[in-house]
Amino acid sequence: MKHLEKNFQQAKRHDRKGQKALYEMFSAKMLAIANSYVNNIHDAEDIVMNSFFVCFSKIEECREWKSFPFWLRKIVVNNAINFIRKRKNVLYSNVEISEIEYHDEEWNEEVQDINLEEIFSKMPDGYRIIFNLYVFEEKKHHEIAEILNISEGTSKSQLSKSKKWITDFLKQKKDEKQYAK
């Protein structure tokens, strides 16, 4: 990333130019990450603004400029999860994973033409949050269960359901394309 080290060092000295440059470098990507969790652009904007405030007030905790993007991402994800916790209107079904049927071959075939923005905007909250944590944040089910205060089985079930939901969504899109021809 061009000028990241310089801007990071300036921001560590609480220089507004460095802070502004870091904000301009990362705000769009962080907005997309926050929005992938909350599925509401206005809430995502609030999360990002709060995250940058936290970031700049605690920037001394980030030791290396090379780790800054990952550190900032972690702040954004944690703020998004805290936002979701405060809302507490995400419902998780307690269906066991063995009750869900999907085939990995289907999943792997359908993954190629994914428009993540469209999928995340339509995916149910519970599926989307767990899918994000498991796939993008590489959290284990026991970690997800702890973060969201749910059972490990619920986390596994929701991940399975999210994969099935994506597969069904992609099949529907494929059918719509074929029907339109």
Side-chain angles (χ1 to χ4, degrees):
M1 297 217 120
K2 198 174 183 180
H3 307 292
L4 175 59
E5 183 177 14
K6 176 185 153 213
N7 294 328
F8 175 76
Q9 295 303 332
Q10 286 178 324
K12 260 191 140 168
R13 293 189 302 270
H14 302 285
D15 179 289
R16 297 279 186 222
K17 281 185 178 180
Q19 291 174 341
K20 181 180 179 197
L22 288 176
Y23 177 82
E24 289 172 353
M25 277 182 177
F26 294 102
S27 61
K29 184 172 184 172
M30 296 303 123
L31 183 62
I33 291 167
N35 197 41
S36 75
Y37 280 88
V38 297
N39 196 28
N40 179 307
I41 195 68
H42 301 295
D43 292 337
E45 288 169 344
D46 290 345
I47 290 166
V48 169
M49 292 305 292
N50 184 48
S51 296
F52 273 100
F53 176 76
V54 169
C55 165
F56 294 139
S57 64
K58 295 184 176 188
I59 197 162
E60 293 78 24
E61 293 177 16
C62 184
R63 294 187 181 112
E64 290 279 325
W65 65 271
K66 292 177 186 175
S67 62
F68 177 78
F70 308 104
W71 182 72
L72 176 60
R73 178 188 177 99
K74 186 175 180 178
I75 292 171
V76 170
V77 168
N78 287 338
N79 280 339
I81 291 168
N82 287 336
F83 176 85
I84 291 164
R85 276 189 192 141
K86 286 177 186 170
R87 281 194 355 212
K88 289 188 181 184
N89 64 353
V90 177
L91 299 175
Y92 297 99
S93 169
N94 278 323
V95 177
E96 288 301 314
I97 195 163
S98 60
E99 297 177 37
I100 308 300
E101 291 183 27
Y102 76 95
H103 303 285
D104 279 314
E105 301 91 43
E106 291 178 27
W107 168 251
N108 291 331
E109 288 173 17
E110 299 296 332
V111 164
Q112 295 177 10
D113 287 334
I114 290 181
N115 176 343
L116 289 178
E117 241 177 81
E118 181 181 14
I119 288 173
F120 286 136
S121 71
K122 295 180 178 172
M123 183 183 276
D125 291 346
Y127 298 178
R128 184 181 64 251
I129 294 163
I130 289 176
F131 186 85
N132 281 348
L133 288 170
Y134 188 84
V135 174
F136 298 119
E137 303 305 322
E138 299 178 353
K139 300 286 186 193
K140 305 281 187 229
H141 287 293
H142 70 274
E143 295 172 307
I144 295 170
E146 189 176 308
I147 290 167
L148 298 175
N149 197 24
I150 59 175
S151 73
E152 197 171 324
T154 299
S155 176
K156 290 176 182 178
S157 167
Q158 293 293 298
L159 179 64
S160 178
K161 287 179 178 182
S162 70
K163 289 179 178 181
K164 183 178 182 333
W165 187 92
I166 291 171
T167 300
D168 292 345
F169 180 83
L170 293 173
K171 283 180 182 176
Q172 180 184 353
K173 285 291 184 187
K174 184 177 176 183
D175 291 346
E176 287 172 5
K177 282 184 186 176
Q178 288 178 347
Y179 182 74
K181 288 182 180 179

